Amino acid sequence: MPIWVLLQPRAYINGVQLFVGLILVYATVFIAGPTIVAPAFNLDLPANTPDLLPLLFVTVGCGAVSGFHGLVGSGTTSKQINLETDERFVCYLGSAGEGALALAAIIAVSAGFASLDEWRVVYSEFGNGGIPAFVQGGATIVSNGSGGLLRHETAATLLTMMAVLFAGTTMDTGVRLQRYIVQEWGDIYGIRLLRNPHIATAVAVGACLTLAFAAGGPDLTGGMALWPLFGTTNQLLAGLTLLVISVILVKQRRPIKYTLIPMAFVTTVALLAAIYQLDDLYEKGQFLLLGVDIVIVISAVCVLLEASSALKRNLRISSSKK
């Protein structure tokens, strides 16, 4: 189905709802002036909390530089841009919007609780909190800031809807991108069947269902089981995106240090995170995730070696033309 038939209008509606939700949260924050109860430095860490390095740069990095956004930019954004000159405005505004959402989430999970003890109850174990903490904390702020005009339950429903719509749009975009990739496989390897959009869609959706059932069983918790690997793969993809941009800049004889240095850091940390997870997944007996992680590490190394070779080749060509 063409982007402009379903994805674009629905994403537009979701975007409007997201902005309305953000305006509501920020307005009530300024009115209520909630106090941040979360500690600036939390030294009372729950058991099994992983090391700060590389986890911090993988999780926070997903908001700062995202490989998924690199795919979206080439797979869907490029199909909706009227003029190339509009891309800078769209990209900068998108980054600002995501930053605003990230800040709202931080405020909700750090200032949306009555006391430090209540905050510690929510985050008593590593992995707790998440979207429920954002919804409950944000609902408390919105309810207090509105002077009770919006009940806590109503505010929680609004924020839940905002989060669900955001996740739904992301999932739809991800499946569409996966279908593009399957079709590209058909073009590259000459598999005519995979070029069919309906077959490619079935393969993309089928792969998602298979992983969900295989990892989580009938209760469909496979997505949550696979989630720990998302940050790592997202950052590896971000590093690859920066490397591709570096190759393009070399061909255009433009400076590459602005993309090459971040690429080296992001890729190194992401690979360390993937390798770090191997031992953890093995100890927990999560062999499906272990196999996926091994494939990710091997694939990332192979792709990076190939891309690095292309970068060196283009650097030599560029130097010879000077």
Side-chain angles (χ1 to χ4, degrees), residues 228-322:
L229 293 177
F230 172 78
T232 302
T233 54
N234 191 37
Q235 290 305 97
L236 286 173
L237 190 57
L240 180 60
T241 302
L242 290 171
L243 188 54
V244 171
I245 295 174
S246 299
V247 173
I248 295 173
L249 291 176
V250 167
K251 289 185 176 181
Q252 296 178 347
R253 299 184 182 181
R254 301 178 66 178
I256 62 171
K257 61 182 180 181
Y258 307 104
T259 56
L260 201 60
I261 295 175
M263 180 278 299
F265 177 79
V266 168
T267 304
T268 301
V269 173
L271 275 175
L272 285 175
I275 295 171
Y276 176 88
Q277 285 180 306
L278 289 174
D279 182 61
D280 182 60
L281 294 173
Y282 179 78
E283 290 182 354
K284 292 180 179 179
Q286 297 178 339
F287 297 109
L288 174 63
L289 292 182
L290 179 64
V292 173
D293 198 14
I294 292 174
V295 171
I296 289 171
V297 171
I298 295 175
S299 301
V301 171
C302 292
V303 171
L304 288 172
L305 289 175
E306 181 66 25
S308 299
S309 176
L311 180 61
K312 292 179 181 178
R313 185 167 58 252
N314 282 279
L315 281 172
R316 287 196 299 268
I317 295 174
S318 178
S319 299
S320 63
K321 291 182 179 180
K322 289 182 179 180

Coordinates of all heavy atoms in Angstrom, one line a residue, residues 228-322:
P228 N 16.3 -6.3 24.5 CA 17.7 -5.9 25.0 C 18.7 -5.8 23.9 O 19.7 -5.1 24.0 CB 18.0 -7.1 25.9 CG 16.8 -7.6 26.4 CD 15.8 -7.5 25.3
L229 N 18.4 -6.4 22.8 CA 19.4 -6.3 21.6 C 19.1 -5.1 20.7 O 19.9 -4.8 19.9 CB 19.3 -7.6 20.8 CG 19.8 -8.9 21.5 CD1 19.7 -10.1 20.5 CD2 21.3 -8.8 21.9
F230 N 18.0 -4.5 21.0 CA 17.7 -3.4 20.1 C 18.7 -2.2 20.1 O 19.1 -1.7 19.1 CB 16.3 -2.8 20.4 CG 15.9 -1.6 19.6 CD1 15.5 -1.6 18.3 CD2 16.0 -0.3 20.2 CE1 15.2 -0.5 17.6 CE2 15.7 0.8 19.5 CZ 15.3 0.7 18.2
G231 N 19.0 -1.8 21.4 CA 20.0 -0.7 21.5 C 21.3 -1.0 20.8 O 21.8 -0.1 20.1
T232 N 21.8 -2.2 21.0 CA 23.1 -2.5 20.3 C 23.0 -2.5 18.8 O 23.8 -1.9 18.1 CB 23.5 -3.9 20.8 OG1 23.6 -3.9 22.2 CG2 24.8 -4.3 20.2
T233 N 21.9 -3.2 18.3 CA 21.8 -3.2 16.8 C 21.5 -1.8 16.3 O 22.0 -1.4 15.2 CB 20.7 -4.1 16.4 OG1 19.4 -3.8 17.1 CG2 21.0 -5.6 16.8
N234 N 20.8 -1.0 17.0 CA 20.4 0.3 16.6 C 21.7 1.2 16.5 O 21.9 1.9 15.5 CB 19.4 1.0 17.5 CG 18.9 2.3 17.0 OD1 18.6 2.4 15.8 ND2 18.7 3.2 17.8
Q235 N 22.6 1.0 17.4 CA 23.8 1.8 17.4 C 24.8 1.3 16.4 O 25.5 2.1 15.8 CB 24.5 1.8 18.8 CG 23.7 2.6 19.9 CD 23.5 4.0 19.4 OE1 22.4 4.3 18.9 NE2 24.4 4.8 19.6
L236 N 24.8 0.0 16.2 CA 25.7 -0.5 15.1 C 25.2 0.0 13.7 O 26.0 0.4 12.9 CB 25.7 -2.1 15.1 CG 26.5 -2.7 16.2 CD1 26.2 -4.2 16.2 CD2 27.9 -2.5 16.1
L237 N 23.9 0.0 13.6 CA 23.4 0.6 12.3 C 23.7 2.1 12.2 O 23.9 2.6 11.1 CB 21.9 0.3 12.3 CG 21.1 0.6 11.0 CD1 21.8 -0.2 9.8 CD2 19.7 0.3 11.1
A238 N 23.7 2.8 13.3 CA 24.0 4.2 13.3 C 25.5 4.4 12.9 O 25.8 5.3 12.1 CB 23.8 4.8 14.7
G239 N 26.3 3.5 13.4 CA 27.7 3.6 13.0 C 27.9 3.4 11.5 O 28.7 4.0 10.8
L240 N 27.2 2.4 11.0 CA 27.2 2.1 9.6 C 26.7 3.2 8.7 O 27.3 3.6 7.7 CB 26.4 0.8 9.3 CG 26.4 0.3 7.8 CD1 27.8 0.0 7.3 CD2 25.5 -0.9 7.6
T241 N 25.6 3.9 9.2 CA 25.1 5.0 8.5 C 26.1 6.2 8.4 O 26.3 6.8 7.4 CB 23.8 5.5 9.2 OG1 22.9 4.4 9.3 CG2 23.2 6.7 8.5
L242 N 26.8 6.4 9.5 CA 27.8 7.5 9.6 C 29.0 7.1 8.6 O 29.6 8.0 8.0 CB 28.3 7.7 11.0 CG 27.3 8.3 12.0 CD1 27.9 8.3 13.4 CD2 27.1 9.8 11.6
L243 N 29.3 5.8 8.5 CA 30.4 5.4 7.6 C 30.0 5.6 6.2 O 30.8 6.0 5.4 CB 30.7 3.9 7.9 CG 31.9 3.4 7.2 CD1 33.2 4.2 7.5 CD2 32.2 1.9 7.6
V244 N 28.7 5.3 5.8 CA 28.3 5.5 4.5 C 28.3 7.0 4.1 O 28.7 7.4 3.0 CB 26.8 4.9 4.3 CG1 26.2 5.3 3.0 CG2 26.8 3.4 4.4
I245 N 27.9 7.8 5.1 CA 27.9 9.3 4.9 C 29.3 9.7 4.7 O 29.6 10.6 3.8 CB 27.3 10.0 6.1 CG1 25.8 9.7 6.1 CG2 27.5 11.5 5.9 CD1 25.1 10.2 7.3
S246 N 30.3 9.1 5.4 CA 31.7 9.5 5.3 C 32.2 9.2 3.9 O 32.9 10.0 3.3 CB 32.5 8.7 6.3 OG 32.1 9.1 7.6
V247 N 31.8 8.0 3.3 CA 32.2 7.7 2.0 C 31.6 8.7 1.0 O 32.3 9.1 0.0 CB 31.7 6.2 1.6 CG1 31.9 5.9 0.2 CG2 32.4 5.2 2.5
I248 N 30.4 9.1 1.2 CA 29.8 10.1 0.3 C 30.5 11.4 0.3 O 30.8 12.0 -0.7 CB 28.3 10.3 0.6 CG1 27.5 9.0 0.4 CG2 27.7 11.4 -0.2 CD1 26.1 9.0 0.8
L249 N 30.9 11.8 1.6 CA 31.6 13.1 1.7 C 33.0 13.0 1.1 O 33.5 14.0 0.5 CB 31.7 13.4 3.2 CG 30.4 13.8 3.9 CD1 30.7 14.0 5.4 CD2 29.8 15.0 3.3
V250 N 33.6 11.8 1.2 CA 35.0 11.7 0.5 C 34.8 11.9 -1.0 O 35.6 12.5 -1.6 CB 35.6 10.3 0.9 CG1 36.8 10.0 0.0 CG2 36.0 10.3 2.3
K251 N 33.8 11.3 -1.5 CA 33.6 11.4 -3.0 C 33.3 12.8 -3.4 O 33.7 13.2 -4.5 CB 32.4 10.5 -3.4 CG 32.7 9.0 -3.4 CD 31.5 8.2 -3.9 CE 31.9 6.7 -4.0 NZ 30.7 5.9 -4.5
Q252 N 32.7 13.6 -2.5 CA 32.5 15.0 -2.8 C 33.6 15.9 -2.3 O 33.5 17.1 -2.4 CB 31.2 15.4 -2.0 CG 29.9 14.7 -2.5 CD 28.7 15.2 -1.8 OE1 28.7 15.8 -0.7 NE2 27.5 14.8 -2.3
R253 N 34.7 15.3 -1.8 CA 35.9 16.0 -1.4 C 35.5 17.0 -0.3 O 36.0 18.2 -0.3 CB 36.6 16.7 -2.6 CG 37.1 15.7 -3.6 CD 37.8 16.5 -4.7 NE 38.2 15.6 -5.8 CZ 38.9 15.9 -6.9 NH1 39.3 17.2 -7.0 NH2 39.3 15.1 -7.8
R254 N 34.8 16.5 0.7 CA 34.4 17.4 1.8 C 35.0 16.8 3.1 O 35.3 15.6 3.1 CB 32.9 17.5 1.9 CG 32.3 18.1 0.6 CD 30.8 18.2 0.7 NE 30.3 19.2 1.7 CZ 29.1 19.4 1.9 NH1 28.1 18.9 1.2 NH2 28.7 20.3 2.8
P255 N 35.1 17.5 4.1 CA 35.7 17.0 5.4 C 34.8 15.9 6.0 O 33.6 15.9 5.9 CB 35.7 18.2 6.3 CG 35.6 19.4 5.4 CD 34.8 19.0 4.2
I256 N 35.5 14.9 6.5 CA 34.8 13.7 7.0 C 35.0 13.5 8.5 O 34.4 12.6 9.1 CB 35.3 12.4 6.3 CG1 36.7 12.2 6.5 CG2 34.9 12.5 4.8 CD1 37.2 10.8 6.0
K257 N 35.8 14.4 9.2 CA 36.0 14.1 10.6 C 34.8 14.3 11.4 O 34.6 13.7 12.5 CB 37.1 15.1 11.1 CG 36.7 16.6 11.0 CD 37.9 17.5 11.5 CE 37.5 18.9 11.3 NZ 38.7 19.8 11.8
Y258 N 33.8 15.1 10.9 CA 32.6 15.3 11.7 C 31.7 14.0 11.7 O 30.8 13.9 12.6 CB 31.8 16.4 11.1 CG 32.6 17.7 11.0 CD1 33.1 18.1 9.7 CD2 32.9 18.5 12.1 CE1 33.9 19.3 9.6 CE2 33.7 19.6 12.0 CZ 34.1 20.0 10.7 OH 34.9 21.1 10.6
T259 N 31.9 13.1 10.8 CA 31.1 11.9 10.8 C 32.0 10.7 11.1 O 31.5 9.7 11.7 CB 30.5 11.6 9.4 OG1 31.5 11.7 8.4 CG2 29.5 12.7 9.1
L260 N 33.3 10.7 10.8 CA 34.2 9.6 11.0 C 34.5 9.4 12.5 O 34.5 8.2 13.0 CB 35.5 9.8 10.2 CG 36.3 8.5 9.9 CD1 35.4 7.5 9.1 CD2 37.5 8.8 9.2
I261 N 34.7 10.5 13.2 CA 35.1 10.3 14.6 C 33.9 9.8 15.4 O 34.0 8.9 16.2 CB 35.6 11.7 15.2 CG1 36.9 12.1 14.5 CG2 35.7 11.6 16.7 CD1 37.4 13.4 14.9
P262 N 32.7 10.4 15.2 CA 31.5 9.8 15.9 C 31.2 8.3 15.5 O 30.8 7.5 16.4 CB 30.3 10.7 15.5 CG 31.0 12.0 15.1 CD 32.3 11.6 14.5
M263 N 31.5 8.0 14.2 CA 31.3 6.7 13.8 C 32.2 5.7 14.5 O 31.7 4.6 15.0 CB 31.6 6.6 12.3 CG 31.4 5.2 11.6 SD 32.8 4.1 11.8 CE 34.1 5.0 11.0
A264 N 33.4 6.1 14.7 CA 34.4 5.2 15.4 C 34.0 5.0 16.8 O 34.0 3.8 17.3 CB 35.8 5.8 15.3
F265 N 33.5 6.0 17.5 CA 33.1 5.9 18.9 C 31.8 5.0 19.0 O 31.8 4.1 19.8 CB 32.9 7.3 19.5 CG 32.4 7.2 20.9 CD1 33.3 7.0 22.0 CD2 31.1 7.4 21.2 CE1 32.8 6.9 23.3 CE2 30.6 7.3 22.5 CZ 31.5 7.1 23.6
V266 N 30.8 5.4 18.2 CA 29.5 4.7 18.3 C 29.7 3.2 18.0 O 29.2 2.3 18.7 CB 28.5 5.3 17.3 CG1 27.3 4.5 17.2 CG2 28.1 6.7 17.8
T267 N 30.5 2.9 16.9 CA 30.6 1.5 16.5 C 31.4 0.7 17.6 O 31.1 -0.4 17.9 CB 31.4 1.5 15.2 OG1 30.7 2.2 14.2 CG2 31.5 0.0 14.7
T268 N 32.5 1.3 18.1 CA 33.3 0.6 19.1 C 32.4 0.3 20.3 O 32.5 -0.9 20.8 CB 34.5 1.5 19.5 OG1 35.3 1.7 18.4 CG2 35.3 0.8 20.5
V269 N 31.7 1.3 20.8 CA 30.9 1.0 22.0 C 29.8 0.0 21.8 O 29.5 -0.8 22.6 CB 30.3 2.4 22.5 CG1 29.3 2.1 23.7 CG2 31.4 3.3 23.0
A270 N 29.2 0.1 20.6 CA 28.1 -0.8 20.3 C 28.6 -2.3 20.2 O 27.9 -3.2 20.6 CB 27.4 -0.4 19.0
L271 N 29.8 -2.4 19.6 CA 30.3 -3.8 19.5 C 30.7 -4.3 20.8 O 30.5 -5.5 21.1 CB 31.6 -3.7 18.6 CG 31.3 -3.9 17.1 CD1 32.6 -3.7 16.3 CD2 30.7 -5.2 16.7
L272 N 31.2 -3.4 21.7 CA 31.6 -3.8 23.1 C 30.3 -4.3 23.8 O 30.3 -5.3 24.5 CB 32.2 -2.7 23.8 CG 33.7 -2.4 23.5 CD1 34.2 -1.1 24.2 CD2 34.6 -3.6 23.8
A273 N 29.2 -3.6 23.6 CA 27.9 -3.9 24.2 C 27.4 -5.3 23.7 O 26.9 -6.1 24.5 CB 26.9 -2.8 23.9
A274 N 27.5 -5.5 22.4 CA 27.1 -6.8 21.8 C 27.9 -7.9 22.4 O 27.4 -9.0 22.7 CB 27.2 -6.7 20.3
I275 N 29.2 -7.7 22.5 CA 30.1 -8.8 23.0 C 29.9 -9.0 24.5 O 29.9 -10.1 25.0 CB 31.6 -8.4 22.7 CG1 31.9 -8.4 21.2 CG2 32.5 -9.4 23.4 CD1 33.2 -7.8 20.9
Y276 N 29.6 -7.9 25.2 CA 29.3 -7.9 26.6 C 28.1 -8.8 26.9 O 28.0 -9.5 27.9 CB 29.1 -6.5 27.2 CG 28.7 -6.4 28.6 CD1 29.7 -6.4 29.6 CD2 27.4 -6.4 29.0 CE1 29.3 -6.3 31.0 CE2 27.0 -6.3 30.3 CZ 28.0 -6.2 31.3 OH 27.6 -6.1 32.6
Q277 N 27.1 -8.6 26.0 CA 25.8 -9.4 26.2 C 25.9 -10.9 25.9 O 25.1 -11.6 26.4 CB 24.8 -8.8 25.3 CG 24.2 -7.4 25.7 CD 23.2 -6.9 24.8 OE1 23.4 -6.7 23.6 NE2 22.0 -6.5 25.4
L278 N 27.0 -11.3 25.2 CA 27.1 -12.7 24.9 C 27.2 -13.5 26.1 O 26.5 -14.5 26.3 CB 28.4 -12.9 24.0 CG 28.3 -12.4 22.5 CD1 29.6 -12.5 21.8 CD2 27.2 -13.1 21.8
D279 N 28.1 -13.1 27.0 CA 28.3 -13.9 28.3 C 27.0 -13.8 29.1 O 26.6 -14.8 29.7 CB 29.5 -13.3 29.0 CG 29.7 -14.0 30.3 OD1 30.0 -15.2 30.2 OD2 29.6 -13.4 31.4
D280 N 26.4 -12.7 29.2 CA 25.2 -12.5 30.0 C 24.0 -13.4 29.5 O 23.3 -14.1 30.2 CB 24.7 -11.1 30.0 CG 23.5 -10.8 30.9 OD1 23.6 -11.1 32.1 OD2 22.5 -10.3 30.4
L281 N 23.9 -13.4 28.2 CA 22.8 -14.3 27.6 C 23.1 -15.7 27.7 O 22.2 -16.5 28.0 CB 22.7 -13.9 26.1 CG 22.2 -12.5 25.7 CD1 22.2 -12.3 24.2 CD2 20.7 -12.3 26.3
Y282 N 24.4 -16.1 27.7 CA 24.7 -17.5 27.9 C 24.4 -18.0 29.3 O 23.9 -19.1 29.5 CB 26.2 -17.7 27.5 CG 26.7 -19.1 27.7 CD1 26.4 -20.1 26.8 CD2 27.4 -19.5 28.9 CE1 26.8 -21.4 27.0 CE2 27.8 -20.8 29.1 CZ 27.5 -21.8 28.1 OH 28.0 -23.1 28.3
E283 N 24.8 -17.1 30.3 CA 24.5 -17.5 31.7 C 23.1 -17.6 32.0 O 22.7 -18.4 32.8 CB 25.2 -16.4 32.6 CG 26.7 -16.4 32.6 CD 27.3 -15.4 33.5 OE1 26.5 -14.6 34.1 OE2 28.5 -15.4 33.7
K284 N 22.2 -16.8 31.3 CA 20.8 -16.8 31.5 C 20.1 -17.9 30.7 O 18.9 -18.1 30.9 CB 20.2 -15.5 31.2 CG 20.6 -14.3 32.1 CD 19.9 -13.0 31.7 CE 20.3 -11.9 32.7 NZ 19.7 -10.6 32.3
G285 N 20.8 -18.6 29.9 CA 20.3 -19.6 29.1 C 19.4 -19.2 28.0 O 18.5 -19.9 27.4
Q286 N 19.5 -17.9 27.6 CA 18.7 -17.3 26.5 C 19.4 -17.6 25.1 O 20.0 -16.7 24.6 CB 18.4 -15.9 26.7 CG 17.6 -15.6 28.0 CD 17.4 -14.1 28.2 OE1 18.2 -13.3 27.7 NE2 16.4 -13.8 29.0
F287 N 19.3 -18.8 24.7 CA 20.1 -19.2 23.5 C 19.6 -18.7 22.2 O 20.4 -18.5 21.3 CB 20.2 -20.8 23.5 CG 20.9 -21.4 24.7 CD1 20.1 -22.1 25.6 CD2 22.2 -21.2 24.9 CE1 20.7 -22.6 26.8 CE2 22.8 -21.7 26.0 CZ 22.1 -22.5 27.0
L288 N 18.4 -18.4 22.1 CA 17.9 -17.7 20.9 C 18.5 -16.3 20.8 O 19.0 -16.0 19.7 CB 16.3 -17.6 20.9 CG 15.7 -16.8 19.8 CD1 16.0 -17.5 18.5 CD2 14.2 -16.7 20.0
L289 N 18.4 -15.6 21.9 CA 19.1 -14.3 21.8 C 20.6 -14.3 21.6 O 21.2 -13.5 21.0 CB 18.7 -13.5 23.1 CG 17.3 -13.1 23.3 CD1 17.1 -12.3 24.6 CD2 16.8 -12.3 22.2
L290 N 21.1 -15.4 22.2 CA 22.6 -15.6 22.1 C 22.9 -15.8 20.6 O 23.9 -15.2 20.1 CB 23.0 -16.8 22.9 CG 24.5 -17.1 22.8 CD1 25.4 -16.0 23.4 CD2 24.8 -18.4 23.6
G291 N 22.2 -16.6 19.9 CA 22.4 -16.9 18.5 C 22.2 -15.6 17.7 O 23.0 -15.3 16.8
V292 N 21.2 -14.8 18.0 CA 20.9 -13.6 17.3 C 22.1 -12.6 17.5 O 22.5 -11.9 16.6 CB 19.6 -12.9 17.7 CG1 19.4 -11.6 17.1 CG2 18.4 -13.8 17.4
D293 N 22.5 -12.5 18.8 CA 23.6 -11.6 19.1 C 24.9 -12.0 18.4 O 25.7 -11.1 17.9 CB 23.9 -11.6 20.6 CG 24.7 -10.4 21.1 OD1 24.8 -9.5 20.3 OD2 25.1 -10.4 22.2
I294 N 25.2 -13.3 18.3 CA 26.4 -13.8 17.5 C 26.3 -13.4 16.1 O 27.3 -12.9 15.5 CB 26.5 -15.3 17.7 CG1 26.9 -15.6 19.1 CG2 27.6 -15.8 16.7 CD1 26.9 -17.1 19.4
V295 N 25.1 -13.6 15.5 CA 24.9 -13.2 14.1 C 25.1 -11.7 13.9 O 25.7 -11.2 12.9 CB 23.5 -13.6 13.6 CG1 23.2 -13.0 12.2 CG2 23.4 -15.1 13.6
I296 N 24.6 -10.9 14.9 CA 24.7 -9.4 14.8 C 26.2 -9.0 14.8 O 26.7 -8.2 14.0 CB 24.0 -8.8 16.0 CG1 22.5 -8.9 15.7 CG2 24.4 -7.3 16.1 CD1 21.7 -8.5 16.9
V297 N 27.0 -9.6 15.7 CA 28.4 -9.3 15.9 C 29.2 -9.6 14.6 O 29.9 -8.8 14.1 CB 29.0 -10.0 17.1 CG1 30.5 -9.8 17.1 CG2 28.4 -9.5 18.4
I298 N 28.9 -10.8 14.1 CA 29.7 -11.3 12.9 C 29.3 -10.4 11.7 O 30.1 -9.9 10.9 CB 29.4 -12.8 12.6 CG1 29.9 -13.6 13.7 CG2 30.0 -13.2 11.2 CD1 29.6 -15.1 13.6
S299 N 28.0 -10.2 11.5 CA 27.5 -9.3 10.4 C 28.0 -7.9 10.5 O 28.5 -7.3 9.5 CB 26.0 -9.3 10.4 OG 25.4 -10.6 10.2
A300 N 28.0 -7.4 11.7 CA 28.5 -6.0 11.9 C 30.0 -5.9 11.5 O 30.4 -5.0 10.9 CB 28.3 -5.6 13.3
V301 N 30.8 -6.9 12.0 CA 32.2 -6.8 11.7 C 32.5 -6.9 10.2 O 33.3 -6.2 9.6 CB 33.0 -8.0 12.4 CG1 34.4 -8.1 11.9 CG2 32.9 -7.7 13.9
C302 N 31.7 -7.9 9.5 CA 31.9 -8.0 8.0 C 31.5 -6.8 7.3 O 32.2 -6.3 6.4 CB 31.0 -9.2 7.6 SG 31.6 -10.8 8.2
V303 N 30.4 -6.2 7.7 CA 29.9 -5.0 7.0 C 30.9 -3.8 7.2 O 31.2 -3.0 6.3 CB 28.5 -4.6 7.4 CG1 28.1 -3.3 6.9 CG2 27.5 -5.7 7.0
L304 N 31.3 -3.7 8.4 CA 32.3 -2.6 8.7 C 33.6 -2.7 8.0 O 34.2 -1.8 7.5 CB 32.5 -2.5 10.2 CG 31.3 -2.0 11.1 CD1 31.6 -2.2 12.6 CD2 31.1 -0.5 10.8
L305 N 34.1 -4.0 7.9 CA 35.3 -4.2 7.1 C 35.1 -3.8 5.6 O 36.0 -3.2 5.0 CB 35.7 -5.7 7.3 CG 36.3 -6.1 8.6 CD1 36.6 -7.6 8.6 CD2 37.6 -5.3 9.0
E306 N 34.0 -4.2 5.1 CA 33.7 -3.9 3.7 C 33.5 -2.4 3.5 O 34.1 -1.8 2.5 CB 32.4 -4.6 3.3 CG 32.0 -4.4 1.8 CD 33.0 -5.0 0.8 OE1 33.7 -6.0 1.2 OE2 33.1 -4.5 -0.3
A307 N 32.8 -1.8 4.4 CA 32.6 -0.3 4.3 C 33.9 0.4 4.5 O 34.2 1.4 3.8 CB 31.6 0.2 5.3
S308 N 34.8 0.0 5.4 CA 36.1 0.6 5.7 C 37.0 0.5 4.4 O 37.7 1.4 4.1 CB 36.8 0.0 6.9 OG 36.0 0.1 8.0
S309 N 36.9 -0.7 3.8 CA 37.6 -0.9 2.5 C 37.2 0.1 1.5 O 38.0 0.7 0.8 CB 37.5 -2.3 2.0 OG 38.1 -2.5 0.8
A310 N 35.9 0.3 1.4 CA 35.3 1.3 0.4 C 35.8 2.7 0.7 O 36.1 3.5 -0.1 CB 33.8 1.2 0.4
L311 N 35.8 3.0 2.0 CA 36.2 4.3 2.5 C 37.7 4.6 2.1 O 38.1 5.6 1.5 CB 36.0 4.5 4.0 CG 36.5 5.8 4.6 CD1 35.6 7.0 4.0 CD2 36.3 5.8 6.1
K312 N 38.6 3.6 2.4 CA 40.0 3.7 2.0 C 40.2 3.9 0.5 O 41.0 4.6 0.0 CB 40.8 2.5 2.5 CG 40.8 2.4 4.0 CD 41.6 1.2 4.5 CE 41.7 1.1 6.0 NZ 42.4 -0.2 6.4
R313 N 39.4 3.1 -0.2 CA 39.5 3.1 -1.7 C 39.1 4.5 -2.2 O 39.8 5.1 -3.1 CB 38.6 2.0 -2.3 CG 38.7 1.9 -3.8 CD 38.1 0.6 -4.3 NE 36.7 0.6 -3.9 CZ 36.2 -0.3 -3.0 NH1 37.0 -1.1 -2.3 NH2 34.9 -0.3 -2.7
N314 N 38.1 5.1 -1.7 CA 37.7 6.4 -2.1 C 38.6 7.5 -1.7 O 38.8 8.5 -2.4 CB 36.2 6.7 -1.7 CG 35.2 6.0 -2.5 OD1 34.8 6.4 -3.6 ND2 34.7 4.8 -2.0
L315 N 39.2 7.3 -0.5 CA 40.2 8.2 0.0 C 41.4 8.3 -1.0 O 42.0 9.3 -1.3 CB 40.7 7.9 1.4 CG 39.7 8.3 2.5 CD1 40.2 7.7 3.8 CD2 39.6 9.8 2.6
R316 N 41.9 7.1 -1.4 CA 43.0 7.0 -2.4 C 42.6 7.7 -3.7 O 43.4 8.4 -4.3 CB 43.4 5.6 -2.6 CG 44.1 4.9 -1.4 CD 44.8 3.6 -1.9 NE 43.8 2.7 -2.3 CZ 43.3 1.7 -1.6 NH1 43.6 1.7 -0.3 NH2 42.4 0.9 -2.1
I317 N 41.4 7.4 -4.2 CA 41.0 8.0 -5.4 C 40.9 9.5 -5.3 O 41.3 10.3 -6.2 CB 39.6 7.4 -5.8 CG1 39.7 5.9 -6.2 CG2 39.0 8.2 -7.1 CD1 38.4 5.3 -6.4
S318 N 40.4 10.0 -4.2 CA 40.3 11.4 -4.0 C 41.6 12.1 -3.9 O 41.9 13.2 -4.4 CB 39.5 11.7 -2.7 OG 39.4 13.1 -2.4
S319 N 42.6 11.4 -3.2 CA 43.9 11.9 -3.1 C 44.7 12.0 -4.4 O 45.4 12.9 -4.7 CB 44.8 11.1 -2.1 OG 44.2 11.1 -0.8
S320 N 44.4 11.0 -5.3 CA 45.1 11.0 -6.6 C 44.6 12.0 -7.5 O 45.3 12.4 -8.5 CB 44.9 9.6 -7.2 OG 43.5 9.4 -7.5
K321 N 43.4 12.5 -7.3 CA 42.8 13.6 -8.2 C 43.2 15.0 -7.8 O 42.9 15.9 -8.5 CB 41.3 13.5 -8.1 CG 40.7 12.2 -8.8 CD 39.2 12.2 -8.8 CE 38.7 10.9 -9.5 NZ 37.2 10.9 -9.5
K322 N 43.9 15.1 -6.6 CA 44.2 16.4 -6.2 C 45.4 16.9 -7.0 O 46.3 16.2 -7.4 CB 44.6 16.4 -4.7 CG 43.4 16.2 -3.8 CD 43.8 16.2 -2.3 CE 42.6 16.1 -1.4 NZ 42.9 16.1 0.0

